[in-house]
């Protein structure tokens, strides 16, 4: 069974830039996996940041961007702010017709 | 304003059934594939099921296949998840999601316990 991989944790300084990645245990991520990125703070419903690789959801600031970097999907946050401290999840579409979430990345801003 | 509002969660005994609903407003459900996603307490997000725009095609995670059924009523602008043979491990907050558009509901809690 294919596993979607994410860094368990990451740290960034306020104002800094961080790139989170989303890979596959077998194979490469492409635009055909329609990667999307979702932010969740404790006790809240998730919020979509990016879908279809690089389309920003309504109201999401342009310091969040999505791309394919090498064989992974990537979420880049530029000018990190304190309230970016959250869990970030990617989800990928598989050729079986199913979607699979990664385990999430806990981002700390300090 | 786009909104997704889930309902129908609650406490149910193992082996029991529930039907979750997700009412959409601010957009026409008929134009979009829709998903159900769940999150067990303290755990990550898990994709459960997807339905295409006219309801003719569905997909399920292995953990729920054969027990859960996703459906939709585009005339009522509502998505459903019929859950049968519920197990303790189905305990979670269930969210509906429109991936293309990036909209989530607020979630509804399903607790399976005797």
């Amino acid at each position: 069974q294919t596993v979607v991989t994410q860094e368990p944790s990451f740290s960034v300084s306020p104002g800094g830039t961080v790139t989170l990645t989303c890979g596959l245990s077998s194979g490469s991520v492409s635009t055909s996996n329609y990667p999307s990125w979702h932010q969740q703070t404790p006790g809240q419903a998730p919020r979509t940041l990016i879908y279809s690789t690089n389309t920003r959801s309504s109201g999401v600031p342009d310091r969040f961007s999505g791309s394919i970097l090498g064989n992974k999907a990537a979420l880049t946050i530029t000018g990190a702010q304190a309230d970016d401290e959250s869990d970030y999840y990617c989800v990928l579409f598989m050729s079986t017709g199913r979607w699979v979430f990664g385990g999430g990345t806990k981002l700390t801003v300090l | 304003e786009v909104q997704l509002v889930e309902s129908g969660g609650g406490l149910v005994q193992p082996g029991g059934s529930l039907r979750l609903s997700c009412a959409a407003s601010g957009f026409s459900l008929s134009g979009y594939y829709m998903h159900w996603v769940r999150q067990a307490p303290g755990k990550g997000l898990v994709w459960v099921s997807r339905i295409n725009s006219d309801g003719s095609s569905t997909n399920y995670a292995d953990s729920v296949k054969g027990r859960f059924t996703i459906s939709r009523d585009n005339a009522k602008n509502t998505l459903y998840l019929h859950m049968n043979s519920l197990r303790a491990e189905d305990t979670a907050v269930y969210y509906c999601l429109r991936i293309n558009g990036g909209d989530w509901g607020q979630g509804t809690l399903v607790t399976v316990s005797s």
Side-chain angles (χ1 to χ4, degrees), chain A residues 38 40 48 97-99 101, chain B residues 35 39 47 59-60 62 104:
Chain A
H38 309 271
Q40 188 180 35
T48 299
R98 298 170 179 170
W99 293 69
F101 276 92
Chain B
H35 302 254
Q39 187 171 37
W47 177 82
N59 296 92
Y60 298 92
D62 284 342
W104 291 77

Side-chain angles (χ1 to χ4, degrees), chain A residues 21-22 27-31 67-74:
Chain A
T21 67
C22 176
S28 299
V29 177
S30 73
T31 55
S67 64
I68 300 291
L69 284 181
N71 62 351
K72 295 183 178 183

